[in-house]
């Protein structure tokens, strides 16, 4: 049995999440680390960031290190009536970091559900996202948004594409005052202005937010979105996650690719989201597909910010010291005994600089 103290936070998470996803009928998905560059070039707007690591293969073809998993899953799925392609993965992706232009290798795990989907599948993926966070830490929150509702109010408010782009930038930063000023610049009626600004300002648990959404959702499209959220809320209410969900309409992705439900996951002790997910039916439509799609990714590389226990990162349980005259049979037996008991051990002749350990066994002193 592997000791949890020896595993990194991301390794613990992968082991737990693989089991979770398989129990819910998701199968492992493996892919190449690189694809032909043209594959990503055609869908570059869908990818986070604007940089892709490229190189020439021995046959002269331009290749790219994988910047995304979803596109690879889509490529290997088919449109079959009634069938759902349900997979999970834990893979490295290569892209520029959020706060830097330097390329980073990032570890992700998550699930993708593509095919003849309905609201059951959407709710299941959302709940599996919450389950994933709960496997990592009990202190988690899932924020949800609905692009169908937001899109409807934007269509009723924005006079052109330029205004829409500016409005979305204000919505992402929750800049309600700037949004209100923008609407007045474009002479939007006060009632429509206030409706959009109130939607952006909404934040809280589903039970408290739903009555306010009832007032704001007046179009058929927005009422359809509200109906979906109500059903999802009823499903959530019957689970252990009922107090972990909040509504936040500042969660916005490219509406050319995403639609309806979006969500993000947060863990206490980590300042940024560790999970992102949602529906991407419009991406599939752009690719000429009839399927619908939903999924999420957990950013495992961020989990090292968590402190599962009070042991310093990189700290060992035991340091064993010996000299050249020591009986190596005794050293081996003592070391393996501790390792078999679940402890981490380093055997040295002298104490290395910067090595951190909890306890020391000095076999030189024992001998004397």
């Amino acid at each position: 049995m592997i000791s949890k103290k020896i595993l990194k936070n991301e390794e613990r998470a992968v082991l737990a999440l693989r089991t979770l996803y398989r129990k819910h009928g998701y199968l492992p998905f493996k892919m190449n680390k690189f694809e032909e560059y043209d594959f990503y070039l055609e869908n570059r707007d869908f990818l986070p960031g604007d940089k892709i690591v490229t190189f020439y293969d021995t046959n002269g073809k331009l290749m790219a290190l994988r910047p995304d998993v979803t596109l690879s899953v889509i490529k290997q799925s088919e449109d079959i009536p009634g069938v759902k392609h349900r997979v999970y993965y834990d893979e490295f992706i290569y892209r520029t970091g959020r706060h830097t232009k330097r390329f980073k290798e990032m570890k992700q795990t998550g699930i993708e559900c593509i095919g003849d989907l309905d609201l059951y599948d959407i709710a299941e993926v959302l709940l599996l996202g919450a389950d994933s966070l709960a496997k990592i830490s009990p202190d988690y929150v899932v924020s949800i948004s609905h692009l169908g509702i937001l899109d409807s109010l934007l269509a009723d408010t924005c006079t052109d594409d330029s205004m829409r782009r500016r409005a979305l930038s204000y919505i992402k930063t929750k800049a309600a005052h700037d949004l209100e000023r923008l609407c007045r610049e474009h002479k939007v009626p006060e009632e429509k202005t206030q409706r959009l600004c109130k939607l952006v300002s909404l934040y809280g648990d589903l039970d408290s937010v739903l009555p306010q959404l009832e007032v704001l959702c007046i179009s058929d499209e927005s009422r359809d979105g509200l109906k979906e959220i109500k059903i999802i809320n009823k499903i959530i209410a019957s689970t252990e996650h009922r107090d972990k969900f909040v509504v936040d309409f500042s969660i916005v992705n490219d509406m050319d690719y995403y639609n309806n439900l979006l969500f993000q996951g947060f863990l206490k002790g980590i300042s940024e989201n560790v999970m992102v997910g949602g529906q991407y039916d419009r991406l599939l439509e752009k690719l000429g597909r009839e399927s619908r799609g939903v999924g999420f990714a957990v950013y495992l590389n961020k989990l090292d910010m968590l402190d599962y226990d009070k042991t310093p990162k990189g700290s060992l349980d035991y340091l064993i010291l010996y000299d050249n005259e020591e009986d190596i049979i005794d050293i081996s037996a003592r070391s393996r005994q501790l390792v078999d008991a679940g402890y981490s051990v380093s055997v040295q002749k002298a104490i290395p600089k910067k090595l951190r350990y909890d306890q020391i066994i000095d076999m030189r002193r024992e001998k004397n």
Side-chain angles (χ1 to χ4, degrees), residues 7-217:
L7 297 175
K8 294 180 180 179
N9 292 350
E10 67 179 55
E11 292 169 333
R12 302 183 198 187
V14 167
L15 290 174
L17 298 181
R18 282 179 186 168
T19 303
L20 171 67
Y21 303 150
R22 289 189 73 94
K23 282 183 177 180
H24 286 267
Y26 287 79
L27 301 178
F29 181 84
K30 298 299 290 184
M31 63 202 83
N32 294 325
K33 283 190 175 182
F34 45 85
E35 298 266 8
E36 290 186 18
Y37 175 70
D38 288 347
F39 172 63
Y40 294 114
L41 181 63
E42 294 169 1
N43 306 286
R44 192 161 185 160
D45 291 342
F46 174 72
L47 303 173
D50 58 353
K51 302 292 184 182
I52 298 176
V53 182
T54 59
F55 64 95
Y56 283 99
D57 200 354
T58 54
N59 60 8
K61 281 192 174 181
L62 186 61
M63 308 296 288
L65 280 177
R66 181 179 58 240
D68 179 78
V69 174
T70 302
L71 286 170
S72 296
V73 177
I74 291 174
K75 186 179 180 181
Q76 296 189 36
S77 66
E78 297 181 82
D79 296 333
I80 304 174
V83 174
K84 306 162 188 179
H85 186 61
R86 295 151 58 94
V87 299
Y88 76 87
Y89 62 87
D90 54 271
E91 297 283 350
F92 286 101
I93 60 169
Y94 306 87
R95 64 171 66 145
T96 52
R98 181 179 178 183
H99 303 296
T100 176
K101 292 299 182 182
R102 298 182 64 184
F103 284 107
K104 296 179 66 176
E105 181 184 64
M106 306 178 192
K107 187 71 179 293
Q108 284 185 350
T109 189
I111 62 176
E112 303 291 349
C113 186
I114 301 170
D116 193 354
L117 311 187
D118 54 31
L119 192 56
Y120 166 81
D121 303 293
I122 309 303
E124 180 188 62
V125 169
L126 175 63
L127 286 175
L128 278 173
D131 289 335
S132 300
L133 297 180
K135 290 287 184 183
I136 300 169
S137 169
D139 297 315
Y140 64 94
V141 173
V142 181
S143 299
I144 68 172
S145 176
H146 198 287
L147 288 185
I149 295 175
L150 179 59
D151 198 22
S152 176
L153 267 69
L154 284 171
D156 194 41
T157 306
C158 295
T159 57
D160 53 46
D161 288 342
S162 175
M163 180 186 177
R164 181 186 174 88
R165 286 192 296 270
R166 289 179 63 190
L168 282 171
S169 68
Y170 295 145
I171 289 169
K172 288 179 182 179
T173 57
K174 288 183 172 291
H177 292 296
D178 291 328
L179 184 62
E180 188 172 2
R181 175 176 49 78
L182 176 66
C183 289
R184 286 174 179 162
E185 286 177 6
H186 287 261
K187 297 181 172 55
V188 176
E190 186 66 18
E191 181 182 354
K192 293 183 179 182
T193 297
Q194 291 306 315
R195 189 180 299 124
L196 182 60
C197 290
K198 286 180 181 178
L199 181 76
V200 175
S201 300
L202 281 181
Y203 184 87
D205 63 88
L206 283 158
D207 287 336
S208 64
V209 167
L210 279 173
Q212 300 175 67
L213 280 176
E214 285 277 7
V215 178
L216 299 176
C217 295

Side-chain angles (χ1 to χ4, degrees), residues 221-234:
E221 293 81 3
S222 61
R223 298 296 295 181
D224 289 342
L226 178 60
K227 182 179 178 181
E228 288 187 358
I229 291 182
K230 285 181 176 179
I231 294 172
I232 288 172
N233 186 38
K234 288 181 180 179

Side-chain angles (χ1 to χ4, degrees), residues 318-338 345-351 359-368:
Y318 284 93
L319 169 64
I320 298 178
L321 292 177
Y322 75 105
D323 57 31
N324 290 326
E325 299 176 1
E326 199 65 52
D327 187 345
I328 61 172
I329 297 175
D330 290 341
I331 297 169
S332 177
R334 182 74 69 92
S335 174
R336 292 190 66 84
Q337 182 182 28
L338 290 169
V345 181
S346 179
V347 179
Q348 302 280 352
K349 292 181 179 179
I351 301 176
Q359 298 185 59
I360 188 169
I361 298 175
D362 193 338
M363 297 186 72
R364 302 168 305 180
R365 292 181 182 177
E366 289 182 8
K367 180 181 178 181
N368 293 331

Side-chain angles (χ1 to χ4, degrees), residues 193-296:
T193 297
Q194 291 306 315
R195 189 180 299 124
L196 182 60
C197 290
K198 286 180 181 178
L199 181 76
V200 175
S201 300
L202 281 181
Y203 184 87
D205 63 88
L206 283 158
D207 287 336
S208 64
V209 167
L210 279 173
Q212 300 175 67
L213 280 176
E214 285 277 7
V215 178
L216 299 176
C217 295
I218 59 175
S219 69
D220 291 341
E221 293 81 3
S222 61
R223 298 296 295 181
D224 289 342
L226 178 60
K227 182 179 178 181
E228 288 187 358
I229 291 182
K230 285 181 176 179
I231 294 172
I232 288 172
N233 186 38
K234 288 181 180 179
I235 296 172
I236 292 171
S238 64
T239 72
E240 68 274 23
H241 307 301
R242 55 187 171 273
D243 299 323
K244 300 292 188 176
F245 281 84
V246 295
V247 174
D248 183 355
F249 278 92
S250 69
I251 301 173
V252 179
N253 277 347
D254 192 327
M255 292 187 181
D256 288 334
Y257 298 94
Y258 294 92
N259 63 294
N260 295 350
L261 187 72
L262 290 181
F263 54 95
Q264 295 182 353
F266 299 85
L267 297 175
K268 185 177 180 180
I270 302 179
S271 59
E272 55 191 30
N273 61 50
V274 298
M275 178 184 73
V276 294
Q279 294 177 244
Y280 45 87
D281 299 351
R282 289 173 179 165
L283 169 63
L284 287 156
E285 185 179 346
K286 281 180 172 287
L287 296 173
R289 301 285 299 276
E290 296 179 0
S291 292
R292 303 176 65 194
V294 62
F296 65 80

